[in-house]
Amino acid sequence: MILKLLAHPVTPVSHSSRFSSLAWIILPLVAWGFAGWTNSVRVQRVEYTTGLVAEPLKTDPQSPTGFAGGARELIVPEHNNDTYHWIAQTQQMLARGEWRVRHVDYDNAPFGRLVETPSPYRWWLGLIAWLDHTVSGRPLGQSVERAAIFADPLLHVLLMVGAAGFVAWQFGVFPAALFAAGLAMIFPFAAAFIPGAPDDRALSLACGIWSILPLLAGLRARLGVGEQNQSDPAGAGRRATRWFLVAGIAGGLGMWVSVVNQVPILLGIALGGVIATWAARRATSIVSTPPTKENRPKAARVVAMPPSVSNSEQTAASPLHDFTSAWWAWAVAGAATILVACLIEYYPDHLASWQLRVVHPLYGVAWLGLGAGLVQVGTWVQSGRAAWTVRRVVVFVLAIAAIAALPVVMWKLKNDGFLAASVSVSRLVKLPGSAVARSLWAWMIHEGITANVMITVLPILLMLPAGWLILSRRTGALARSAVAIALGPVLVALVIAGQYLSGWSMFDGVALVLLVAATDASARRPVVRWAWGGAVAAVLILGAIQLTPAREKEAKITLNEFELVGLIERDLARWLAKHAGPAGAMVLAPPNETTTLYYYNGLRGLGTLARENEAGIGAAIRMVSASTPEEAKELIDRRGITHLVIPSWDSYLDDYARIGMGQLEGTFLNGLHLWRVPGWLRPVPYQLPVIAGFEGQTVTIFEVVEDQDDAVALSRTAEYFIEMNQLDPAASVAQALRRFPADLGALVARAQVELARGDTVAFAKTIELLRPRLAGNGDRSLLWDRRASLAVVLARSKQTDLARIQVQRCLTDVDETKLRSLNTGALYRLQVLGKAFGLTITDPHLRDLARDLLPDDLRARL
């Protein structure tokens, strides 16, 4: 029934119809209000989560981040790793006054890595940060984190207002109302613009929409039925050419932002151009075929021309209007924009690169080939065999060669180019509980045909009326061409969305453009508008259900897994940075933690999953998959790694080990899991902050140190297990320490374990073994951290005078490195004993540092 309504002849729109169409303005206003409300709820949650379990940071306007020590505080929703990179690189860009970021040193340590990601999104984030800095007076680095909360929602607002205004200007209020509401409410497209998780995908989606809309405006300018078009066809052609040129520039900017997202849209536009040409040829044959006994219309139809085709559109259908100049303008503008983008982005040092995952002149060459191919196909379809001249055949062959050059180079260089897939392609949206799967089919196999699946794929139904409008004899040339060109990107995007879940956002974006074309082509009568508008509104309401955030009072907010992990990683980064000292740390950790340890406190690492970091990932794989500790040590020393960080909730290092050796067993990493720790690694106890929902998780940290003898290594391991409240492993280590009965440090460690386990009898016996060695000055070569432990053991055994002597020696010999080497419990107990004995660290700086290394609760108790 709806398809028949869509094919009904177009009738003039009355003043009353125009007045009633204004009622549709309410729909986008409601949708925009909904988008504003959801964003405000999400902003409040981001700010609330960021403010949890955190010591206030010291402001430092000279720091790139605006905080002392290069710290940051924003808890990024859903642990969107790309966001961390965008924020850090934008801060680097602003701090150094460089308008392009081509190198970062926080990855692939100590060498750093190349940055290929284009600059436009960093400029957008930097612009919002500069505005915030100007208004608020915050340091510019802090303003970048603030801008990260609002950058994508602001981009969404600009897209909704700008694109909807353009559609209203070119196509009328009703198509604009549906389009604007769709931008705000269709799922998953609208979820690409959430607060606090900025990345370039939002900007890429906006460019994709703007690369198609001007084409539809150009078709209207060329094939429209207005008096101006009839009286000045040459002027109409020039106006169409200008709109195609605008579309080419927008598409070129989209290529600059992301070739991965924009190339499918350009291929879809070319496909749409072919479909439009075929449809126009089909319409021409229908119009021009004289009636015969076989094809004579029924009595009810006394003319061969479909009633929806006006006199001016008869000309548009037969012969086909010449769009040669328009398509050439589109291709040349796109290729020129790509060339200018390459010069701006990579001149002069990186122009020779053949990296095709980013904008490259070869894409401009292929675009020129597309334009030439569309022109030739249009000519041949229109003129048949008469168009097959030698010149046109040569042009067509050159066009094919230009297009083929891109995949050939990708194949020869083994470069994925625009086919490269990032880690995030398997995630549907950046919302809590989002589906994660390799493809649509895998998602449906895993979850079944759920409501989420149905709501996601529901916009596919728009292709049915679009196909009907193209095939129907009642559809005019303008409507048929516009729908055909808009349908092409939808078909290509559907293929991409079937392969990668993240592609559904792009599919929704181009489907909304098709909605504009289909609405403009069919919904002229009030009854059609209400039927069509009601169907669209139903789809949008279902999308709104998916987009609606949970509304909770702050006291009752339940943190999700990614928020909990973000809080833990921020605390870990700050703790590790404090204990590493001014020289900083260089960490080997899973990719997610490598990213966040740098983001939250400037700790450099190896193996983030940035696409330019193949060298860092390879180095991390070789380290954890080493077959011997000696091999691992050589690799670790070569890179200057100072700490190994193994969180219990992230097993990615296990995957690295399997990649390197084919199995986890027998690798260096597996040895660490089994606590076969070499003497050049020292376990460092770190207590996770107490956060509901994250109980039972741990982080194992090893510090790379000078080779320790077995007694020292086991003593420190026993103390580690005590601090981590793992008394059974501590007892096992204490048993192993009995092999060193003459070692004072081993006796101290045994006493610590016995004390922790409440074994007073064994503890008293160990103290009796300790006292003679102290009387004979047997502690003269005792390591500083073992002396601090000895002081505590003596104090607990009520050997006050002996304990005082040890505390005095510790405080006299203390320095910054020794303070940072103590675990939190030992440092606290040393200061408690010093206070009890009336002893203190004489150096004010060291005294302040000793207190600063303690967490807030212990500092307050001290």
Side-chain angles (χ1 to χ4, degrees):
M1 180 63 183
I2 292 180
L3 295 179
K4 291 182 178 180
L5 287 172
L6 293 175
H8 195 278
V10 175
T11 57
V13 182
S14 66
H15 291 288
S16 60
S17 297
R18 292 194 186 98
F19 178 79
S20 63
S21 68
L22 296 178
W24 287 100
I25 296 178
I26 297 174
L27 179 61
L29 293 178
V30 170
W32 292 355
F34 170 79
W37 172 76
T38 58
N39 283 331
S40 68
V41 172
R42 291 194 173 98
V43 167
Q44 291 173 11
R45 186 179 183 103
V46 170
E47 293 176 339
Y48 168 78
T49 306
T50 298
L52 290 174
V53 198
E55 299 178 23
L57 296 176
K58 296 178 182 178
T59 295
D60 180 4
Q62 303 305 314
S63 170
T65 68
F67 293 112
R72 300 177 180 87
E73 62 179 1
L74 178 68
I75 301 297
V76 175
E78 300 305 292
H79 208 290
N80 187 42
N81 280 341
D82 289 342
T83 295
Y84 300 116
H85 292 290
W86 285 114
I87 293 175
Q89 291 172 17
T90 302
Q91 288 173 329
Q92 175 180 316
M93 176 185 74
L94 296 174
R96 298 182 181 179
E98 55 186 19
W99 55 286
R100 301 177 300 188
V101 177
R102 293 276 75 88
H103 187 270
V104 294
D105 60 2
Y106 60 79
D107 221 354
N108 187 35
F111 311 113
R113 63 167 173 84
L114 178 70
V115 175
E116 296 171 346
T117 49
S119 299
Y121 191 77
R122 280 189 291 272
W123 295 341
W124 167 250
L125 196 57
L127 173 62
I128 305 303
W130 178 81
L131 293 174
D132 178 84
H133 165 71
T134 302
V135 173
S136 69
R138 295 185 186 90
L140 198 52
Q142 292 183 23
S143 291
V144 174
E145 281 197 275
R146 188 67 181 169
I149 298 177
F150 298 102
D152 281 4
L154 285 175
L155 189 61
H156 198 194
V157 169
L158 292 178
L159 175 63
M160 289 189 293
V161 174
F166 179 84
V167 171
W169 172 36
Q170 291 293 319
F171 304 98
V173 172
F174 182 59
L178 298 184
F179 179 68
L183 290 174
M185 297 175 67
I186 196 169
F187 179 84
F189 175 86
F193 299 85
I194 66 170
D199 61 40
D200 61 343
R201 184 163 183 78
L203 182 58
S204 177
L205 291 172
C207 290
I209 287 175
W210 276 108
S211 65
I212 308 173
L213 279 178
L215 296 176
L216 305 187
L219 291 172
R220 173 172 285 272
R222 183 67 163 161
L223 302 178
V225 297
E227 294 181 3
Q228 188 176 11
N229 285 17
Q230 298 181 29
S231 61
D232 184 16
R238 287 192 297 271
R239 288 191 295 275
T241 299
R242 285 196 293 269
W243 282 122
F244 272 60
L245 185 144
V246 170
I249 294 173
L253 294 175
M255 292 288 289
W256 187 2
V257 175
S258 172
V259 297
V260 173
N261 292 333
Q262 190 64 36
V263 166
I265 293 178
L266 297 183
L267 294 176
I269 291 173
L271 175 61
V274 172
I275 295 174
T277 302
W278 168 81
R281 175 66 177 173
R282 180 174 179 275
T284 301
S285 64
I286 292 173
V287 171
S288 58
T289 301
T292 64
K293 184 177 293 185
E294 290 77 14
N295 66 11
R296 185 180 302 278
K298 296 179 181 179
R301 292 182 292 172
V302 296
V303 292
M305 176 63 67
S308 63
V309 182
S310 64
N311 290 336
S312 63
E313 287 190 325
Q314 292 182 37
T315 306
S318 177
L320 185 66
H321 267 253
D322 184 9
F323 271 84
T324 299
S325 60
W327 283 120
W328 273 118
W330 173 73
V332 171
T337 303
I338 287 175
L339 180 59
V340 171
C342 291
L343 292 174
I344 293 174
E345 192 69 60
Y346 302 112
Y347 178 84
D349 297 332
H350 299 278
L351 282 178
S353 170
W354 282 93
Q355 182 51 259
L356 299 177
R357 292 179 300 197
V358 293
V359 65
H360 189 279
L362 198 57
Y363 286 105
V365 173
W367 198 335
L368 289 174
L370 272 181
L374 283 172
V375 169
Q376 298 307 313
V377 168
T379 302
W380 288 335
V381 171
Q382 174 185 340
S383 305
R385 289 189 175 182
W388 286 83
T389 65
V390 174
R391 175 178 173 275
R392 286 172 176 163
V393 170
V394 170
V395 170
F396 187 71
V397 171
L398 292 176
I400 296 298
I403 297 171
L406 178 60
V408 168
V409 171
M410 289 168 56
W411 170 65
K412 293 292 289 183
L413 298 180
K414 297 181 179 180
N415 191 314
D416 291 340
F418 66 90
L419 298 177
S422 66
V423 178
S424 60
V425 297
S426 60
R427 187 175 180 87
L428 182 63
V429 290
K430 299 178 289 186
L431 294 178
S434 169
V436 178
R438 289 179 300 173
S439 64
L440 175 64
W441 180 250
W443 182 25
M444 290 191 297
I445 292 295
H446 182 260
E447 294 191 11
I449 309 300
T450 63
N452 290 347
V453 174
M454 295 301 296
I455 293 172
T456 300
V457 304
L458 201 56
I460 293 176
L461 296 178
L462 180 61
M463 297 168 61
L464 296 177
W468 178 271
L469 288 168
I470 292 172
L471 297 175
S472 174
R473 298 183 179 185
R474 298 177 180 273
T475 307
L478 168 61
R480 180 181 291 108
S481 299
V483 172
I485 286 183
L487 181 61
V490 172
L491 294 173
V492 176
L494 181 59
V495 175
I496 301 297
Q499 294 295 316
Y500 306 112
L501 286 193
S502 64
W504 285 101
S505 296
M506 178 176 67
F507 175 82
D508 285 348
V510 296
L512 288 173
V513 179
L514 178 60
L515 174 66
V516 171
T519 302
D520 182 59
S522 58
R524 300 294 179 88
R525 294 193 306 149
V527 62
V528 178
R529 289 192 177 197
W530 284 107
W532 184 244
V536 172
V539 174
L540 298 185
I541 290 172
L542 294 174
I545 294 173
Q546 295 293 99
L547 294 167
T548 301
R551 182 64 173 167
E552 301 172 290
K553 295 182 179 180
E554 286 191 358
K556 296 183 178 181
I557 286 180
T558 302
L559 300 181
N560 62 45
E561 177 185 354
F562 293 108
E563 291 166 333
L564 292 170
V565 169
L567 290 170
I568 296 298
E569 290 172 340
R570 184 178 66 182
D571 183 82
L572 171 62
R574 294 182 183 179
W575 181 92
L576 191 54
K578 276 186 178 182
H579 287 76
M586 212 168 288
V587 297
L588 171 61
N592 286 348
E593 284 68 33
T594 301
T595 303
T596 52
L597 288 175
Y598 171 76
Y599 175 79
Y600 286 119
N601 235 109
L603 304 175
R604 299 163 66 190
L606 274 182
T608 74
L609 294 179
R611 64 188 183 189
E612 306 96 332
N613 192 34
E614 292 92 346
I617 294 172
I621 290 173
R622 287 191 295 274
M623 289 177 191
V624 298
S625 64
S627 57
T628 64
E630 292 74 22
E631 179 189 355
K633 181 67 160 60
E634 181 182 353
L635 294 169
I636 285 172
D637 286 346
R638 192 181 301 170
R639 288 287 185 147
I641 298 299
T642 63
H643 292 80
L644 282 65
V645 178
I646 308 173
S648 61
W649 61 86
D650 190 339
S651 62
Y652 217 106
L653 287 182
D654 292 359
D655 296 333
Y656 276 179
R658 292 187 184 96
I659 292 172
M661 185 176 274
Q663 61 181 19
L664 181 60
E665 292 72 18
T667 63
F668 168 66
L669 179 65
N670 191 53
L672 296 183
H673 288 329
L674 299 175
W675 281 96
R676 294 197 291 264
V677 181
W680 46 272
L681 286 181
R682 174 184 178 180
V684 181
Y686 163 73
Q687 296 287 352
L688 274 67
V690 179
I691 302 177
F694 215 70
E695 299 85 353
Q697 301 293 344
T698 60
V699 179
T700 304
I701 302 173
F702 295 100
E703 182 182 4
V704 180
V705 296
E706 295 295 329
D707 271 319
Q708 312 164 97
D709 62 44
D710 289 347
V712 172
L714 287 172
S715 297
R716 288 170 170 168
T717 301
E719 191 171 76
Y720 168 86
F721 284 127
I722 293 170
E723 290 296 321
M724 298 299 292
N725 199 31
Q726 298 178 25
L727 299 185
D728 288 341
S732 298
V733 176
Q735 188 65 30
L737 282 168
R738 292 183 177 275
R739 294 187 291 124
F740 310 99
D743 188 281
L744 184 58
L747 289 173
V748 171
R750 285 169 53 187
Q752 288 178 290
V753 174
E754 291 157 356
L755 192 61
R757 290 172 60 85
D759 190 348
T760 56
V761 175
F763 176 68
K765 291 180 180 179
T766 304
I767 293 297
E768 290 302 317
L769 294 174
L770 276 173
R771 292 180 62 184
R773 287 167 175 77
L774 294 177
N777 201 23
D779 64 330
R780 60 184 178 276
S781 60
L782 192 62
L783 295 174
W784 188 87
D785 67 301
R786 308 314 308 140
R787 187 179 301 281
S789 298
L790 172 61
V792 175
V793 167
L794 291 172
R796 294 294 299 272
S797 65
K798 303 188 186 306
Q799 306 292 320
T800 308
D801 293 339
L802 293 176
R804 180 185 178 88
I805 294 172
Q806 299 302 326
V807 172
Q808 180 68 62
R809 290 182 180 179
C810 285
L811 299 183
T812 300
D813 297 339
V814 71
D815 59 30
E816 186 171 327
T817 302
K818 291 173 180 175
L819 278 178
R820 296 184 191 278
S821 70
L822 280 187
N823 63 65
T824 301
L827 180 60
Y828 170 71
R829 288 186 286 270
L830 177 63
Q831 294 181 75
V832 168
L833 288 177
K835 185 176 181 181
F837 294 140
L839 303 174
T840 186
I841 301 174
T842 56
D843 187 328
H845 168 70
L846 294 178
R847 187 166 58 245
D848 292 341
L849 175 62
R851 289 179 175 270
D852 189 50
L853 289 172
L854 297 176
D856 283 343
D857 57 338
L858 293 183
R859 194 182 308 141
R861 290 166 58 185
L862 185 65

